[in-house]
Amino acid sequence: MLDPEDWRCPTCLDLAYKPAVNSACGHVFCFWCLHKAMSPYAPSACPICRAQYTNLPAICPKLHQFLACQFPETYAARRQETEEEEEEIGAQSPEPQASGPLPPPAAPGQWRPQHFLCDSPRCGRLLCRPAVLICGHAVCRDCLPGSSGSGASSQGTPAAATAASSSLASSSPGSARGAYECPACRLAARQPPAVCKQLADLLGELFAEESRRPEAEAQAAQEARQAEEQAAAAASTGTAAAQGVNAGAAKGHPGLALQTPPPSASPAGDQPEPQEQQPEAAPGGSSQPGGQPPAQAAQQSLSPSLTSALRRRQAEGGAQQAMAERLEQSLRRMTAGEEYVWHGVGCDGCGQYPIQGRRHKCLDCPEAIGFDLCGACMDRGLSDIVGRFNQRHTPEHRMRSVRPRITAMHMLKAANPELPMEQLMWLLEMALAPEGEEGEEGEEAGQQQQQASEEQQQQQQDGQQQGGQQQNDQQAGAAGDGGGSELLPVLRRGPRPAYDPAAEEPSPAAYASHQPQQRTGQQGRVQGPAGGEAEGLIDEPAVTEVHVALERLLLHSGTGSDSGPSSGSGSDAGGGSS
Amino acid sequence: MPIDLGRVQKEIRDIDRDKASGVTIEVQGNSVQKLIGCLKGPRDTPFDGGIFYVNIELDDQYPFVPPKMRFITKVWHPNISSANGAICLDILKDQWSPALTLKTALLSLQALLSSPQPDDPQDAVVARQYMGSLAEYEATARQWTQTYAHAQQVVGLEAKVQQIVEMGFGREQALAALKRANGDENGAMEILLGA
Ligand SMILES: [Zn+2]
Ligand SMILES: [Zn+2]
Ligand SMILES: [Zn+2]
Ligand SMILES: [Zn+2]
Ligand SMILES: [Zn+2]
Ligand SMILES: [Zn+2]
């Protein structure tokens, strides 16, 4: 393990720089590489083993120190490369703190067990079967509090289970507080951390003697824990089975179900009255997860114009009615309480990406990438947190919770709850791709992607006939060669700045220059006095052009009415009154 | 952000070094984002003895998005369009992972040639034939291999491509024109000059 090849990052194929360990499986990547491999819309899959992970881990200081001292020239070159790239994208990775009591060795190879001590204050011995946690701390697997098995799945309600077909909800039992808590910094993970095999192998090689001794003890401890875990697993088999079913269901993808019906002849006279269209008895109301006031949460997130658009659809009868009802039901479920997914927004406390449930945003961090916390991290309290991207956040900064908002991606997901997000993205990309791709194939049978893309194109054409200036521009952009390539990256994976749906411009640099104005705008809307606590809700400004265009496409094309999409100040006023 | 040049160059070097893998790759022109891959038809299949060219395009976000691949050589296979070479393979779509490489992708194409997946077809006509009459499918596939991918054919094709390239046309252009002209170099020149 002293060969640089052993520490090659599997995605850039270079020496891993600022190594981050995917705690779900223990695989090691560069911090940036692991981030770029994440989906902004749904839980991500490890590039190597496809283990699902929901959190961007912090850099592991111990591995960072090891690589920097063991391979000084290569690591320095990697640093330079990465810093140039960071300059370009306008974001930074944090500098890892000291990794232990000993200063780094003077020369490569002079490693001592004190360089690799367990971070648990109750242990402090040489790491044994090390797990690197989402906070970057390394602890012996047996120094972790075992999964108690309680809590983890207690939140699941039948309704939540159906909504979980995305596999997102099912994988993140938001209430697993206390399970897998870091003994050093108390950050709780939602998933059990795995042993980092690379680090374990390194320790075995460096300290053959020392690492053999605790092995026997560890073995015994492990067996005891396994028995415990098995008992716990038996208790939650039900959930696991349900997940299996969902995964199976996702296989038979029926193509994009979200159809824009042909332009109806109905005149645009029936203007909606947004304020009054609040849902009194939504068709999906009965299936809401109990307890919470979900209806209220949904009211806040489904904008009046969106609601009225759906209502209009429902009134049109037939297939449209069914579709609109299904959509509204899914949307309400997706936006209620802990279900809402903040596409493209990550938590700077625990690294959850995308954030699910409550989101709290810092009003004062000037960095373009922003500073956000998930509900759990907000509740934990924060003092000297360093953001995942080195934001200089301080406890004096004002945090505000942000109101969930339906975007085109949520609608797409709501209309196709059985499709995994990755597949939706792919279908969408195909639909928006410059024409001539799958061209004059003409063979309809069996080719779902193609069908879907054709449907989507049909929708686009329908939409275009309806007019709407912005929409036309957007379509023209999508069809044109260069325009298409400008639009598409917004929909794909990639570094966080480009995907923040809150950013009006996809480019982080452009966003930075807009930021001050936006911030004052938001402050104006904040309710209640300023302070560290999250009282009033704030609304995020517009989503990207693509989102707006899609929204129009999906919801407004049949009506000809020019009521804008749910963003903008009009709907904010409605939300504020509740 | 521009494409990760370092990674692509490493990949190309790695493929060049590994002669045993049976796949090769070549840069088109001076951008590493357009490449041509080449793979041998697997033994004991109707593609045995054939040499297949694959057009490869890399997006700026590669390897975080899959490479775009399409057969240049005409292939008769349920998961490959007989009309335009488009490929239906999960790892080139939503199952792509940034830890996969051009080499693994080309090897997967080779594997796809050995084991068609008619449940998820790209070419419905071929798929129907495959399901209905395997012998007929194999005969057609073998005939296509002989006509379009046979070694002599390909060597001859390569010479023709070179000829056209020397006259100042791009390699991909030349290949495309030759394909449209069914391998006739004069026809290809007419297409190129007429366009
Ligand atoms: Zn890397
Ligand atoms: Zn993994
Ligand atoms: Zn320990
Ligand atoms: Zn920790
Ligand atoms: Zn968090
Ligand atoms: Zn801040």
Side-chain angles (χ1 to χ4, degrees):
Chain A
M1 295 304 289
L2 296 176
D3 182 343
E5 279 300 297
D6 293 328
W7 298 95
R8 189 150 107 147
C9 164
T11 79
C12 64
L13 307 180
D14 239 321
L15 182 65
Y17 176 69
K18 289 196 175 170
V21 180
N22 186 1
S23 78
C25 58
H27 285 129
V28 183
F29 303 83
C30 310
F31 170 79
W32 277 114
C33 286
L34 191 52
H35 176 55
K36 288 188 217 163
M38 290 186 89
S39 161
Y41 298 107
S44 303
C46 171
I48 300 181
C49 65
R50 297 191 197 274
Q52 206 178 66
Y53 67 110
T54 52
N55 292 61
L56 173 67
I59 297 159
C60 172
K62 283 189 173 59
L63 284 176
H64 172 69
Q65 172 182 274
F66 168 73
L67 295 174
C69 299
Q70 189 66 31
F71 314 111
E73 293 87 16
T74 323
Y75 209 69
R78 295 284 292 128
R79 170 182 290 274
Q80 196 185 336
E81 261 172 45
T82 308
E83 282 174 358
E84 279 166 16
E85 205 175 296
E86 287 180 352
E87 183 92 5
E88 213 169 304
I89 59 176
Q92 282 181 343
S93 50
E95 212 47 51
Q97 299 131 352
S99 67
L102 266 197
Q110 297 180 353
W111 296 104
R112 308 197 15 219
Q114 284 82 349
H115 288 119
F116 296 96
L117 299 183
C118 172
D119 283 323
S120 166
R122 276 172 306 177
C123 173
R125 291 182 288 176
L126 175 63
L127 281 165
C128 172
R129 305 203 323 121
V132 181
L133 311 180
I134 52 178
C135 49
H137 284 127
V139 297
C140 318
R141 186 62 182 77
D142 296 311
C143 289
L144 276 173
S147 144
S148 59
S150 63
S153 55
S154 61
Q155 206 196 9
T157 62
T162 20
S165 51
S166 69
S167 80
L168 178 57
S170 58
S171 73
S172 51
S175 66
R177 188 168 309 159
Y180 318 122
E181 195 178 80
C182 172
C185 70
R186 307 265 139 228
L187 185 63
R190 295 167 176 84
Q191 288 174 283
V195 170
C196 173
K197 189 170 178 307
Q198 265 167 278
L199 180 53
D201 289 352
L202 172 70
L203 297 179
E205 198 171 314
L206 288 176
F207 315 112
E209 281 292 292
E210 293 89 334
S211 59
R212 207 167 297 133
R213 221 178 313 129
E215 208 125 284
E217 309 168 22
Q219 195 69 32
Q222 189 203 346
E223 272 158 24
R225 218 195 45 239
Q226 268 173 357
E228 208 176 293
E229 269 173 9
Q230 266 161 16
S236 61
T237 329
T239 352
Q243 279 184 28
V245 170
N246 284 331
K251 284 263 158 115
H253 38 78
L256 282 179
L258 187 51
Q259 289 184 33
T260 302
S264 71
S266 82
D270 54 339
Q271 276 291 338
E273 289 159 329
Q275 312 298 34
E276 288 173 15
Q277 296 277 349
Q278 294 296 349
E280 345 62 274
S286 55
S287 71
Q288 294 291 348
Q292 302 292 91
Q296 197 192 337
Q299 269 181 22
Q300 288 168 347
S301 53
L302 285 200
S303 74
S305 65
L306 181 54
T307 309
S308 60
L310 286 166
R311 287 298 149 80
R312 253 192 329 266
R313 282 293 159 83
Q314 284 168 22
E316 280 162 14
Q320 287 183 20
Q321 178 184 357
M323 170 63 72
E325 273 171 16
R326 181 177 162 214
L327 241 183
E328 184 169 346
Q329 211 168 334
S330 290
L331 283 174
R332 288 195 186 287
R333 207 165 33 223
M334 280 168 62
T335 48
E338 298 294 304
E339 297 285 311
Y340 183 83
V341 181
W342 292 93
H343 295 152
V345 182
C347 173
D348 283 287
C350 64
Q352 186 184 37
Y353 182 72
I355 291 181
Q356 191 184 0
R358 275 178 298 140
R359 168 193 174 192
H360 304 266
K361 177 185 169 70
C362 177
L363 299 179
D364 298 318
C365 271
E367 289 84 1
I369 206 162
F371 182 95
D372 298 276
L373 292 174
C374 72
C377 287
M378 188 69 200
D379 296 345
R380 251 174 75 232
L382 48 129
S383 45
D384 50 353
I385 241 175
V386 176
R388 277 293 189 275
F389 300 91
N390 211 27
Q391 299 97 318
R392 285 167 292 275
H393 181 75
T394 72
E396 287 74 45
H397 282 185
R398 293 161 302 158
M399 298 294 292
R400 283 291 178 277
S401 70
V402 188
R403 194 192 311 275
R405 187 185 169 284
I406 300 291
T407 67
M409 288 310 299
H410 291 105
M411 283 191 259
L412 204 57
K413 181 69 197 169
N416 302 272
E418 66 286 346
L419 287 191
M421 210 65 189
E422 277 295 278
Q423 215 164 358
L424 280 177
M425 295 309 301
W426 183 258
L427 294 176
L428 195 58
E429 213 166 285
M430 300 258 301
L432 292 178
E435 40 144 331
E437 277 288 285
E438 302 305 306
E440 3 78 72
E441 201 90 342
E443 289 134 2
E444 356 75 270
Q447 238 307 345
Q448 298 102 330
Q449 269 96 350
Q450 208 167 310
Q451 272 181 1
S453 111
E454 275 161 18
E455 275 168 23
Q456 194 78 356
Q457 270 161 19
Q458 189 55 48
Q459 288 173 22
Q460 294 188 356
Q461 281 159 17
D462 290 344
Q464 211 156 5
Q465 284 161 11
Q466 291 307 304
Q469 193 52 46
Q470 187 185 0
Q471 192 177 312
N472 275 334
D473 294 346
Q474 207 62 39
Q475 296 304 317
D481 226 354
S485 57
E486 267 170 39
L487 284 180
L488 289 183
V490 186
L491 305 168
R492 292 181 174 172
R493 301 171 163 210
R496 186 163 135 199
Y499 292 89
D500 187 353
E504 272 178 330
E505 308 281 339
S507 135
Y511 184 49
S513 63
H514 280 222
Q515 186 76 343
Q517 283 171 322
Q518 282 183 356
R519 274 173 50 223
T520 48
Q522 282 168 4
Q523 280 165 22
R525 257 182 272 145
V526 167
Q527 303 163 352
E533 277 310 302
E535 271 311 311
L537 288 168
I538 57 169
D539 291 299
E540 278 292 274
V543 285
T544 63
E545 297 276 289
V546 176
H547 287 131
V548 173
L550 269 169
E551 236 166 82
R552 281 171 174 263
L553 208 65
L554 299 175
L555 278 171
H556 299 269
S557 64
T559 66
S561 99
D562 202 27
S563 68
S566 46
S567 70
S569 49
S571 54
D572 295 340
S577 68
S578 62
Chain B
M1 246 196 325
I3 190 166
D4 182 351
L5 272 180
R7 153 139 181 174
V8 181
Q9 277 156 357
K10 270 189 218 95
E11 283 199 49
I12 295 173
R13 244 177 290 143
D14 183 46
I15 295 178
D16 285 347
R17 233 175 317 170
D18 184 5
K19 299 284 183 227
S21 70
V23 302
T24 56
I25 201 161
E26 204 180 297
V27 178
Q28 295 183 47
N30 42 17
S31 153
V32 298
Q33 293 183 246
K34 284 185 191 296
L35 305 114
I36 288 188
C38 175
L39 52 99
K40 292 197 180 106
R43 249 171 231 288
D44 302 322
T45 70
F47 311 99
D48 192 2
I51 292 184
F52 298 86
Y53 286 96
V54 178
N55 194 51
I56 305 171
E57 273 182 54
L58 304 181
D59 189 277
D60 278 350
Q61 291 179 70
Y62 179 82
F64 298 101
V65 298
K68 288 199 176 81
M69 291 195 171
R70 180 188 287 270
F71 273 92
I72 301 171
T73 312
K74 281 167 94 63
V75 189
W76 189 256
H77 185 286
N79 305 103
I80 301 164
S81 161
S82 57
N84 63 13
I87 302 161
C88 184
L89 180 61
D90 57 356
I91 64 144
L92 293 179
K93 295 177 179 167
D94 53 314
Q95 289 302 303
W96 171 257
S97 145
L100 296 171
T101 61
L102 296 176
K103 181 164 128 185
T104 50
L106 287 172
L107 291 172
S108 305
L109 290 184
Q110 218 170 21
L112 182 68
L113 288 180
S114 320
S115 41
Q117 293 154 13
D119 299 336
D120 195 12
Q122 174 75 32
D123 194 309
V125 176
V126 185
R128 227 172 289 138
Q129 192 192 44
Y130 182 89
M131 302 292 259
S133 160
L134 194 62
E136 215 176 284
Y137 155 78
E138 286 186 341
T140 320
R142 199 168 293 117
Q143 196 204 325
W144 276 47
T145 305
Q146 253 156 35
T147 314
Y148 301 111
H150 222 258
Q152 293 95 352
Q153 203 80 33
V154 172
V155 171
L157 181 71
E158 191 53 37
K160 288 174 195 165
V161 169
Q162 277 310 320
Q163 247 177 12
I164 297 176
V165 167
E166 275 161 28
M167 298 175 81
F169 293 97
R171 191 185 155 79
E172 193 190 8
Q173 250 182 320
L175 267 172
L178 277 167
K179 201 175 99 180
R180 275 175 60 195
N182 283 325
D184 176 55
E185 57 205 289
N186 293 326
M189 282 306 295
E190 271 166 36
I191 290 170
L192 285 169
L193 294 171

